[in-house]
Amino acid sequence: MMMDDSITPKRNGRRSIAFSHTPATNRKNRDSNIGIAGTTPATMLAPPSLKKSITPARRGRNSNVSFSDDMGQQLRHPMLRLVVGMLHRQFTSRGLERADARSRVCAFGIACLAQLPTPERGEVLRFVADMCESKVSSHRLLGVELIGEILCQGWFWKDHEGVGRSADWTKFTPPVSDPGEEEARGDEDARIGGASEGAGTDGSSSKTAASPSAILLAALQGRLTDKSPTVRTRVALSLSEAARKANLAQEEGRNLDGTIIATTPSKLTDDEANNIPSKALTVALCKIGTSLVDALRRRASTDDRATVRRSSIVAWLQMLNLAHRERREDFVVSGLDISALCRLANDPSVATRKAAADALTRLVRTSYESVEYTSQASSLEIAWAHTVLPLVADAEQTCVMKAVEFFSVLVIEPIVELGNDTAEKLKDDDDNAKYFVAWRILSKLSHGSKEAGGSRNASGSLVMALQKMLINAGKDSKSLAKNLFRAVYFSINISLGIDQCNSAGLTMSHDDELEEDLFDLNTTAMRTGAWCLLDALTSCLASNDQNSTKSSSLANSSLNQAVRASQIDSSFLALSLKKLRALIASADVPYDKKRNLAITSQDLFKIIAKMGSLVPLCDAEACFSDLLHDLESFTVSIDLTSDVINALIALTKRKCDDSGMDVFGEVKGWVNGLLCCCEAAIESCISSFSQRGVISEDDEKILSHVLYLIGDLSMVGFSSQEESSRLSTKQKDVIPTHREPVKGLLIRPSARLVHLVKLMLPNSMPMPSSAANELSPTPSGIRAHAFIALGKLCLRNESLAKDSLNILARELHHNSNSDPAVISNCLMVMGDLCVRYTNLGDKYLPYMAACLQAGEGKPTEVNRSSRLTLSFSRKTNGYSLIKKNAILLLSSLLLQDYVKWRGLFIHRFLAAVADEDDEVACLAQTALSGPLLEKQPNLLCNHFVGAVFVFNDCQAHPIYAVEASSGGGTGMSIDFERASLAGSESYHRRCEIYDMMLANLTDEQKLQVTARLVKEILGGALETGGDLSTVCKLPPVGLKKLTRLSSGRIEAATNVLTDTLAILTSPEIKVGRKGVEDADDDLASVNGSKSDQRNIHKQRLLSKISRKHLMEIVMPILCNLKSVLEESRSPLLKNLMKYLGYIFRSFKSEVQENLANNPTLLQELEYDTRQYEKHQKQRERDSILQAEVDTDECAV
């Protein structure tokens, strides 16, 4: 390749890159070399110019990078100079936007570098590092790709990491982006790489001490914040491959085909060096491990491109594995890593979700090698159980397959491996970690399913995962179910210390050492996890007995067949129940241990309800007697009551199968007997505290148990298809099933019992024993349970529901002073009645909607004497519980079309987005921007302009009336009273709602909202009548003398105009922002998919339409409004000029052309722009000075 002096690179020709590291050949040198023997035209190779965003800073940096005279003399052979120049040209050739072209150039460059001498090789490496700072995206992309390949080459570590071999790099500093370049590209984190390597231990600069590997890694890490997503993705992939090579080398204890050569002292020969395990790459990565892990975590969590997030997760995982393998405490997996991976497991991108799930699974498996059980391992197991396993219910099938695969590897395979040798394998301390990890994960699922909202994510996901595994097993599903039953059976007996034989007559393998402490960490986890797995397995198989729509593999694996094939003795259920009851009743067992036993008991009752038909008859009768006695004595805890009743029904059916008795009659008999016991207990308590004149804690505890039991007993045999108006005991149109043997049984409590339940509803009860017949306050706990019991009674009695709706609505009224738990229970009952009797509950929707702002205007301290256990959020009161339940309940009703948007319902929902409690605000935002917006995509767009008037309480405007009457409906209209968003003090809360709405609008909807805001609000201000027009014409003083409007109406109209101008000035309403950003990326149009390219073109088109609308429609209205405001000297002129200045800064040339006939306004805008820029620069200087002061203070 030759260049004549007259040939210069053209702008529209080859993209050139200046390599200042190549010896420059000026005219004097070229002239002196002409005619010298051995001189070739290659000496006249002219270096092109490196395209940098900031030239002065680049020139300053070049002075530190250029060759010294001695180094220049090392390039003696002209052919080597030709090769170096050729590589420079190849690395900056055209067409590098295409992946195949980059792959060829990269392979060619690596092959050439492997053959070059060390000085020339170092020269090319410095040039490659400099490519990462190029302004051209394709150059940066190839640069990071080359660095990734170079770091995995053996010759690099052999040549440049040995003792005394890094001298050639002493005058090269790590590439650090300039502040101006960071601002231009948005690379706010570009200094991380340089900062981590640029400071020595004494705080001084280490320009001369930077190693080649540190320089290349710093250049690579600095591009993690590149503006091009393709470059960011390639950087993450390069880092991932380098970390993978380091992990693999350390794992195998040898060099990988000579690709990584260990750091070798000069006294060792090359042969000796080749036999030493590689450490150079590992050491280099560990030096920047902390900053690199932070950068990768931040990139994976915040990047807007799915490919970048996924690649960052892979590299991030490799670095965490490296920290674990090297025992580096400075960047080992932390709580930040775990929480970030949990969020990414719910990422919208399928690839990102799978990568996060894979990362969590691999991190959990690293605990196999740990001797101690740490809090970090516990957090990883909890995270896996509640984020990875729920992916089995993902909408994307590939995610489901991955989650099932991870579940099989981490949980099922170790448990199946236990088999009959459970005790022997658990004693092996060297190989039992994977078994205990599996049990601990299952125990985390069991604990999580007992929490609020946890059943669907925990136990429900476990059942679904088992179903998927049985389906995938095909013909082997029977064998899998049998092995699981046997492993769980032996684990349960060991964890409870039960000695027995299986049905085959073989003595179970047992170990006395494991029985010594039943509450050891691993034994407790095994017991809880085994019962949890057995509950899920029986649920999965029991559904096959009555569901013929399952796949053939599942249909062949019924519960009865699996139990018989496993040859386990079903009497272990009765023995387990006896052992658990004894442990819970024992005074030697600590209270905190009994809580775990109660969780295990709950799983046991669920399993008895499903396996009751397999229990031996004598055991069934004994269990039935014990459980019925516990219910009659009210010793069963509230959270176990429902499961105990279901277990009793299953045991009753088991007894009836042998005796031939009617199941309905037997169940009805003991249910009515329990109801009679409840009636007697209530009367006894009422008589007791009537004599004392006060309700004791013991009375409250008994009444709570009784009321809860009444509600559960009334729901025995309930079916949503039954007709509540029928009075027959058995519903003929409801068919019982194997799993629900008494489905259709109608339980009718006595009128006396219903009256006693209603007696517990008021705030106070009369005390007949007192002389003046005084009232005693009813404890909130009793009232809360009484409303739940009443609601369950109403579900099976329509006439009772009609009489009770007013009572429930009274508790939801804003004037109610009831405890938040009571109001929350009434709200939930009202929601169930809306589903059961839709025609009855519709008119009470305003009371339910008002719960979204429950507690507004009330004191924060509510009923401190209540003994209810409620968890309140920070800076809020107990009403946050009501708001959360209201959001969830109303969202569910809206999605199922039981209620409709009407009146100001949507505005109440939007007001919850700005709630003082962050949890309430996030929940409301998630519901609105998620399922509700998906169901009605135009929901926010249609109500945006109306929200401005409603939030500011501008009731005089016609738009407010339109919003209040929207939706129709047969019930009362939903108002916006006590929402407290009006006034200047709530301006920031309103802006929070506006920003949320704008963030969830499409570009087309933003155009529509902008047009409506300008036309109906700003254009309405120019009309002759109306509050908006009146406010614009009012002077800043003497308002009451010049208008008949009240101060409230004036403030409302003023805030409407202020909010409108603030919304229009917000950057969130700008159309086509993403398309404008991608327009500067020369890789987006080449590497993006067709759909991405269409989206970019669409956004650019919409941006042009928006610009045209601003110039032709908006600007004339703003100019006219400015004249009106100037004439009245209105304070709104400041907000208007701020919006005009925003438009001028965004579209300067268009505004100058549009305002050519209005030079005064144009001059004002130019002056305001200069002042704005001056103010921004001053703020930047102040922030820099403040940062320096903080740094100095920290140093001191």
Side-chain angles (χ1 to χ4, degrees):
M1 182 182 298
M2 298 177 58
M3 291 187 62
D4 190 79
D5 291 342
S6 61
I7 299 177
T8 58
K10 298 182 180 179
R11 274 193 173 275
N12 56 356
R14 181 190 301 274
R15 288 181 177 175
S16 56
I17 182 169
F19 48 98
S20 55
H21 311 317
T22 301
T25 55
N26 53 30
R27 181 174 298 276
K28 180 179 178 180
N29 292 335
R30 291 199 303 271
D31 294 341
S32 61
N33 290 332
I34 295 176
I36 300 178
T39 303
T40 64
T43 58
M44 297 185 295
L45 188 64
S49 175
L50 183 65
K51 293 185 177 178
K52 289 289 180 175
S53 58
I54 299 180
T55 304
R58 177 63 196 158
R59 284 198 299 268
R61 192 158 56 244
N62 285 344
S63 61
N64 294 329
V65 184
S66 59
F67 274 121
S68 61
D69 295 337
D70 296 337
M71 295 173 62
Q73 294 297 325
Q74 295 177 4
L75 298 179
R76 294 183 180 133
H77 201 288
M79 186 57 65
L80 294 178
R81 300 178 64 183
L82 177 63
V83 173
V84 171
M86 177 189 64
L87 287 177
H88 290 181
R89 290 294 184 183
Q90 285 292 322
F91 293 163
T92 57
S93 59
R94 300 180 62 179
L96 293 177
E97 298 85 0
R98 297 189 300 273
D100 56 342
R102 289 196 309 274
S103 178
R104 289 194 301 268
V105 171
C106 184
F108 174 74
I110 295 298
C112 291
L113 285 171
Q115 305 300 324
L116 284 176
T118 301
E120 287 77 9
R121 187 183 291 163
E123 167 62 24
V124 177
L125 293 181
R126 284 192 293 271
F127 180 80
V128 170
D130 232 9
M131 288 176 63
C132 296
E133 296 294 301
S134 174
K135 188 176 180 181
V136 182
S137 301
S138 58
H139 295 170
R140 301 195 304 273
L141 181 58
L142 180 61
V144 298
E145 191 169 347
L146 283 167
I147 291 177
E149 293 291 335
I150 290 169
L151 290 174
C152 298
Q153 301 299 317
W155 50 259
F156 172 76
W157 302 102
K158 181 178 179 181
D159 288 352
H160 300 290
E161 293 296 328
V163 176
R165 294 193 176 183
S166 60
D168 296 341
W169 289 65
T170 54
K171 292 194 175 184
F172 181 70
T173 57
V176 180
S177 300
D178 297 313
E181 187 175 356
E182 292 182 22
E183 181 179 346
R185 297 181 182 173
D187 299 347
E188 68 280 358
D189 300 322
R191 292 179 175 269
I192 294 178
S196 62
E197 295 293 330
T201 56
D202 59 348
S204 61
S205 177
S206 58
K207 291 183 179 180
T208 60
S211 63
S213 60
I215 294 169
L216 295 183
L217 286 172
L220 201 60
Q221 184 179 350
R223 288 302 96 207
L224 273 175
T225 53
D226 195 277
K227 74 172 184 178
S228 171
T230 311
V231 176
R232 298 197 300 268
T233 303
R234 183 65 250 185
V235 170
L237 291 175
S238 298
L239 289 170
S240 173
E241 182 63 18
R244 189 189 69 83
K245 291 277 188 179
N247 279 313
L248 189 60
Q250 298 306 312
E251 180 180 355
E252 298 184 356
R254 60 181 177 81
N255 292 330
L256 301 176
D257 299 327
T259 54
I260 302 179
I261 307 299
T263 303
T264 309
S266 57
K267 63 181 180 180
L268 295 178
T269 63
D270 292 339
D271 293 337
E272 292 174 337
N274 290 333
N275 296 325
I276 298 177
S278 175
K279 275 287 185 180
L281 180 56
T282 301
V283 173
L285 289 172
C286 289
K287 286 182 179 179
I288 62 169
T290 303
S291 61
L292 186 56
V293 167
D294 290 341
L296 289 170
R297 179 176 59 242
R298 186 160 48 247
R299 185 52 48 203
S301 303
T302 61
D303 203 280
D304 58 344
R305 297 302 176 94
T307 54
V308 182
R309 295 196 299 271
R310 178 193 173 279
S311 303
S312 300
I313 291 174
V314 176
W316 178 17
L317 173 63
Q318 292 293 343
M319 289 300 300
L320 293 178
N321 287 336
L322 185 64
H324 174 76
R325 193 174 301 280
E326 296 296 315
R327 303 186 183 279
R328 295 294 298 260
E329 297 294 336
D330 49 346
F331 62 99
V332 73
V333 60
S334 63
L336 290 175
D337 299 317
I338 298 173
S339 60
L341 286 172
C342 289
R343 290 192 299 270
L344 290 168
N346 297 312
D347 193 83
S349 169
V350 175
T352 305
R353 293 201 298 272
K354 292 193 291 186
D358 179 69
L360 283 171
T361 304
R362 292 178 182 274
L363 290 175
V364 171
R365 296 187 68 182
T366 57
S367 61
Y368 290 173
E369 306 171 4
S370 301
V371 179
E372 298 181 356
Y373 183 58
T374 62
S375 58
Q376 166 195 327
S378 177
S379 300
L380 282 171
E381 291 165 359
I382 295 174
W384 192 95
H386 294 281
T387 57
V388 178
L389 188 60
L391 290 178
V392 296
D394 197 271
E396 179 60 36
Q397 189 61 29
T398 56
C399 281
V400 175
M401 295 173 60
K402 275 292 183 182
V404 173
E405 177 187 347
F406 297 149
F407 173 69
S408 175
V409 171
L410 209 57
V411 178
I412 298 301
E413 291 180 4
I415 292 176
V416 171
E417 186 181 336
L418 284 174
N420 299 341
D421 303 328
T422 302
E424 287 74 9
K425 291 181 179 178
L426 291 178
K427 285 192 301 182
D428 186 5
D429 295 334
D430 297 332
D431 196 32
N432 63 359
K434 58 182 178 181
Y435 308 129
F436 289 122
V437 167
W439 291 127
R440 286 198 298 264
I441 289 176
L442 290 171
S443 67
K444 301 297 192 300
L445 289 170
S446 179
H447 287 287
S449 63
K450 307 302 182 295
E451 299 174 357
S455 59
R456 178 171 51 188
N457 291 333
S459 58
S461 300
L462 181 58
V463 173
M464 188 173 297
L466 285 172
Q467 288 177 344
K468 299 290 184 182
M469 283 203 64
L470 291 173
I471 292 174
N472 296 338
K475 295 180 180 180
D476 297 332
S477 59
K478 290 183 179 181
S479 176
L480 176 60
K482 179 189 70 175
N483 293 332
L484 284 174
F485 265 111
R486 293 184 68 84
V488 170
Y489 169 74
F490 289 120
S491 299
I492 287 175
N493 287 327
I494 290 175
S495 62
L496 284 175
I498 300 174
D499 285 317
Q500 66 176 111
C501 299
N502 59 15
S503 59
L506 301 176
T507 303
M508 183 188 65
S509 176
H510 209 68
D511 184 21
D512 294 335
E513 295 181 1
L514 294 175
E515 296 181 16
E516 293 181 357
D517 189 1
L518 294 179
F519 300 101
D520 177 70
L521 176 64
N522 290 329
T523 306
T524 301
M526 181 170 63
R527 179 173 57 249
T528 307
W531 283 108
C532 178
L533 180 59
L534 183 58
D535 177 30
L537 185 60
T538 52
S539 299
C540 178
L541 295 177
S543 62
N544 301 333
D545 298 336
Q546 57 182 352
N547 192 351
S548 59
T549 61
K550 295 289 183 182
S551 65
S552 58
S553 60
L554 272 179
N556 294 330
S557 303
S558 66
L559 179 58
N560 293 342
Q561 292 174 349
V563 173
R564 293 190 182 98
S566 62
Q567 296 183 338
I568 64 174
D569 191 351
S570 299
S571 61
F572 84 97
L573 294 175
L575 294 174
S576 299
L577 177 60
K578 183 178 179 180
K579 185 64 176 283
L580 287 172
R581 294 179 79 242
L583 290 174
I584 292 175
S586 175
D588 297 333
V589 178
Y591 178 79
D592 58 332
K593 307 297 182 182
K594 291 183 179 181
R595 175 58 185 166
N596 179 268
L597 293 175
I599 295 175
T600 303
S601 301
Q602 187 171 13
D603 291 331
L604 172 60
F605 295 142
K606 292 179 180 179
I607 294 167
I608 292 177
K610 288 169 285 193
M611 294 181 60
S613 60
L614 302 175
V615 178
L617 182 59
C618 59
D619 292 336
E621 292 176 348
C623 292
F624 179 86
S625 177
D626 292 339
L627 294 179
L628 185 61
H629 177 268
D630 291 342
L631 286 179
E632 290 174 344
S633 59
F634 307 111
T635 56
V636 178
S637 61
I638 289 177
D639 53 347
L640 298 179
T641 301
S642 301
D643 298 309
V644 171
I645 292 175
N646 292 331
L648 283 173
I649 294 174
L651 295 173
T652 303
K653 184 178 182 301
R654 174 68 182 91
K655 295 194 302 179
C656 292
D657 289 342
D658 282 2
S659 62
M661 294 183 295
D662 181 32
V663 179
F664 276 72
E666 291 296 318
V667 172
K668 184 179 180 182
W670 60 260
V671 168
N672 287 333
L674 288 173
L675 289 176
C676 292
C677 293
C678 293
E679 183 176 337
I682 294 177
E683 290 179 344
S684 175
C685 289
I686 292 177
S687 174
S688 175
F689 60 68
S690 295
Q691 295 177 0
R692 294 193 306 267
V694 64
I695 302 176
S696 65
E697 292 188 17
D698 293 336
D699 293 332
E700 181 180 352
K701 182 178 179 181
I702 294 176
L703 287 175
S704 298
H705 280 74
V706 171
L707 290 170
Y708 194 89
L709 180 58
I710 292 172
D712 279 356
L713 291 173
S714 65
M715 297 298 291
V716 171
F718 174 76
S719 174
S720 58
Q721 291 83 22
E722 71 181 31
E723 296 183 13
S724 59
S725 58
R726 292 188 180 182
L727 301 178
S728 59
T729 302
K730 184 177 180 181
Q731 298 281 345
K732 296 181 180 180
D733 54 345
V734 180
I735 302 175
T737 62
H738 176 76
R739 194 170 182 178
E740 297 177 297
V742 292
K743 185 178 181 180
L745 175 63
L746 181 60
I747 302 298
R748 289 288 188 180
S750 63
R752 174 64 177 170
L753 184 59
V754 175
H755 173 72
L756 291 174
V757 171
K758 288 184 176 181
L759 193 63
M760 308 293 166
L761 300 178
N763 287 318
S764 57
M765 289 188 295
M767 295 295 168
S769 60
S770 61
N773 199 16
E774 297 178 353
L775 298 176
S776 177
T778 307
S780 297
I782 296 178
R783 297 189 65 215
H785 286 293
F787 276 107
I788 290 295
L790 178 65
K792 293 179 179 179
L793 294 173
C794 291
L795 289 176
R796 311 200 73 173
N797 193 334
E798 187 173 358
S799 60
L800 180 62
K802 291 180 180 179
D803 298 335
S804 304
L805 281 172
N806 286 329
I807 300 176
L808 296 169
R810 179 190 61 195
E811 298 297 325
L812 300 182
H813 197 271
H814 62 88
N815 291 330
S816 173
N817 293 321
S818 299
D819 190 277
V822 176
I823 301 176
S824 179
N825 285 358
C826 292
L827 175 65
M828 303 306 293
V829 170
M830 188 77 78
D832 289 338
L833 295 182
C834 283
V835 176
R836 181 74 171 147
Y837 315 108
T838 308
N839 57 331
L840 297 180
D842 185 66
K843 65 179 181 180
Y844 296 100
L845 181 59
Y847 295 98
M848 301 171 66
C851 291
L852 293 168
Q853 282 75 42
E856 294 288 344
K858 292 186 178 182
T860 56
E861 302 293 336
V862 288
N863 203 356
R864 276 189 171 273
S865 62
S866 174
R867 288 183 285 271
L868 294 178
T869 57
L870 298 177
S871 59
F872 300 151
S873 302
R874 62 173 184 81
K875 297 183 180 180
T876 55
N877 49 55
Y879 290 103
S880 295
L881 175 70
I882 305 174
K883 299 174 187 177
K884 295 175 188 176
N885 288 338
I887 293 171
L888 295 174
L889 175 64
L890 293 173
S891 299
S892 177
L893 294 176
L894 286 166
L895 292 172
Q896 299 177 74
D897 291 328
Y898 285 109
V899 297
K900 302 289 185 182
W901 295 110
R902 75 166 189 257
L904 304 182
F905 189 10
I906 177 62
H907 303 91
R908 281 194 173 275
F909 226 113
L910 288 169
V913 173
D915 195 90
E916 295 179 355
D917 185 358
D918 292 340
E919 294 182 1
V920 174
C922 291
L923 189 61
Q925 181 174 346
T926 302
L928 279 172
S929 60
L932 294 177
L933 189 61
E934 183 179 353
K935 182 178 176 63
Q936 298 184 22
N938 293 324
L939 179 65
L940 300 179
C941 177
N942 294 340
H943 295 279
F944 195 103
V945 177
V948 178
F949 290 94
V950 174
F951 293 159
N952 288 287
D953 198 24
C954 189
Q955 302 184 18
H957 200 277
I959 293 181
Y960 189 101
V962 172
E963 291 289 322
S965 60
S966 63
T970 58
M972 296 183 296
S973 61
I974 301 177
D975 55 27
F976 199 68
E977 296 181 2
R978 283 166 294 279
S980 65
L981 282 178
S984 57
E985 64 278 1
S986 300
Y987 171 75
H988 294 290
R989 294 180 61 191
R990 296 196 302 271
C991 289
E992 185 178 350
I993 301 174
Y994 299 146
D995 290 340
M996 186 278 298
M997 298 175 72
L998 291 173
N1000 291 281
L1001 295 180
T1002 63
D1003 285 340
E1004 296 91 334
Q1005 291 173 340
K1006 289 179 181 179
L1007 277 174
Q1008 182 180 348
V1009 168
T1010 302
R1012 288 193 60 194
L1013 288 173
V1014 173
K1015 179 182 178 181
E1016 299 181 12
I1017 298 181
L1018 299 184
L1022 297 175
E1023 297 178 354
T1024 56
D1027 288 4
L1028 299 178
S1029 176
T1030 303
V1031 167
C1032 291
K1033 298 176 182 178
L1034 287 177
V1037 293
L1039 299 181
K1040 294 184 179 180
K1041 298 180 180 180
L1042 299 177
T1043 180
R1044 299 179 181 178
L1045 298 180
S1046 62
S1047 58
R1049 291 179 61 178
I1050 295 175
E1051 183 182 9
T1054 303
N1055 290 334
V1056 167
L1057 291 170
T1058 303
D1059 288 2
T1060 301
L1061 293 172
I1063 293 169
L1064 294 173
T1065 311
S1066 172
E1068 292 292 336
I1069 204 172
K1070 188 175 181 180
V1071 175
R1073 297 177 64 192
K1074 186 177 179 181
V1076 174
E1077 293 172 358
D1078 290 341
D1080 298 332
D1081 187 5
D1082 57 349
L1083 300 172
S1085 59
V1086 177
N1087 297 325
S1089 62
K1090 292 184 178 180
S1091 60
D1092 293 338
Q1093 295 177 21
R1094 285 195 297 268
N1095 290 334
I1096 292 175
H1097 295 319
K1098 178 181 177 181
Q1099 289 162 353
R1100 292 174 180 173
L1101 177 61
L1102 291 174
S1103 179
K1104 293 179 180 179
I1105 295 175
S1106 174
R1107 186 179 308 179
K1108 182 177 181 181
H1109 175 262
L1110 281 174
M1111 296 302 108
E1112 297 182 358
I1113 305 298
V1114 178
M1115 285 300 296
I1117 294 178
L1118 295 179
C1119 292
N1120 294 332
L1121 185 59
K1122 178 178 179 294
S1123 301
V1124 175
L1125 296 177
E1126 283 181 337
E1127 183 178 354
S1128 60
R1129 293 179 296 174
S1130 172
L1132 293 171
L1133 184 61
K1134 176 182 177 181
N1135 304 87
L1136 179 65
M1137 291 302 297
K1138 183 178 179 180
Y1139 180 41
L1140 283 171
Y1142 171 76
I1143 297 176
F1144 181 75
R1145 292 191 300 272
S1146 302
F1147 313 104
K1148 187 173 183 179
S1149 59
E1150 290 85 350
V1151 174
Q1152 288 176 339
E1153 182 180 354
N1154 188 274
L1155 297 180
N1157 296 328
N1158 194 346
T1160 303
L1161 177 58
L1162 184 59
Q1163 292 177 2
E1164 293 178 1
L1165 293 177
E1166 290 176 346
Y1167 175 79
D1168 290 344
T1169 301
R1170 289 194 297 270
Q1171 294 297 318
Y1172 174 82
E1173 294 174 350
K1174 181 180 178 181
H1175 179 67
Q1176 288 297 108
K1177 292 180 180 179
Q1178 182 63 36
R1179 289 182 58 184
E1180 292 176 2
R1181 286 194 295 268
D1182 294 343
S1183 62
I1184 294 174
L1185 291 174
Q1186 183 63 36
E1188 293 177 353
V1189 171
D1190 294 341
T1191 304
D1192 294 340
E1193 291 178 354
C1194 293
V1196 173

